[in-house]
Amino acid sequence: QSLSKMALRTVIRELRKLTYWLTRAAGLGVITLILWFIPGLSVVNPVIWYVFGAWVMAMQYVDIAADNNGLSFPELLALLRRQRMEAMGFGGMVMLLASIPVVNLFVVPMAVAGGVVFFVKHARD
């Protein structure tokens, strides 16, 4: 595959991912705004955003291996949905480690490696 075709494919895939999470973030923003004005329920907002962030982190880091192996974006989402709890655990751990100073310097390479392991382990299913 030529470099220009690969670059175009990558940009289109990244735009697809960006569209995927932006539309969901907008919906969560509306839900957050509504919950903000209901006394007692606004404490749920950080949990909702943490869970969403965990899903996005899992999607982002598993996508690296999926893209390299020719898996389409809908197929990646199907893979993550089949292994939802493990994907959320992986993404949640990435988010947690990214919040710790100094450790966050090493999170990206560890998350890429973890995403590859996740993909290799579950792509056969």
Side-chain angles (χ1 to χ4, degrees):
Q1 187 175 29
S2 70
L3 184 60
S4 61
K5 285 184 181 179
M6 184 175 64
L8 179 64
R9 178 181 56 83
T10 302
V11 168
I12 290 171
R13 188 175 183 104
E14 289 300 318
L15 287 173
R16 173 69 176 101
K17 281 194 299 190
L18 184 64
T19 302
Y20 176 87
W21 82 259
L22 274 178
T23 55
R24 281 145 184 87
L28 282 178
V30 170
I31 291 169
T32 298
L33 190 60
I34 292 168
L35 290 177
W36 187 319
F37 292 107
I38 301 173
L41 285 181
S42 63
V43 297
V44 177
N45 287 339
V47 174
I48 292 171
W49 282 100
Y50 185 82
V51 168
F52 176 69
W55 179 256
V56 170
M57 287 293 136
M59 181 183 64
Q60 181 65 35
Y61 288 110
V62 175
D63 182 56
I64 295 168
D67 188 29
N68 285 341
N69 286 284
L71 208 68
S72 70
F73 186 69
E75 291 171 328
L76 166 70
L77 291 177
L79 170 69
L80 291 175
R81 286 182 185 125
R82 280 194 309 272
Q83 303 296 329
R84 187 177 307 263
M85 292 310 292
E86 193 169 341
M88 295 300 288
F90 170 64
M93 188 56 66
V94 170
M95 289 212 24
L96 180 67
L97 292 174
S99 69
I100 302 171
V102 181
V103 173
N104 61 6
L105 299 172
F106 305 100
V107 168
V108 172
M110 290 186 324
V112 169
V116 170
V117 169
F118 183 97
F119 178 79
V120 168
K121 183 178 175 185
H122 298 295
R124 294 178 297 227
D125 297 342

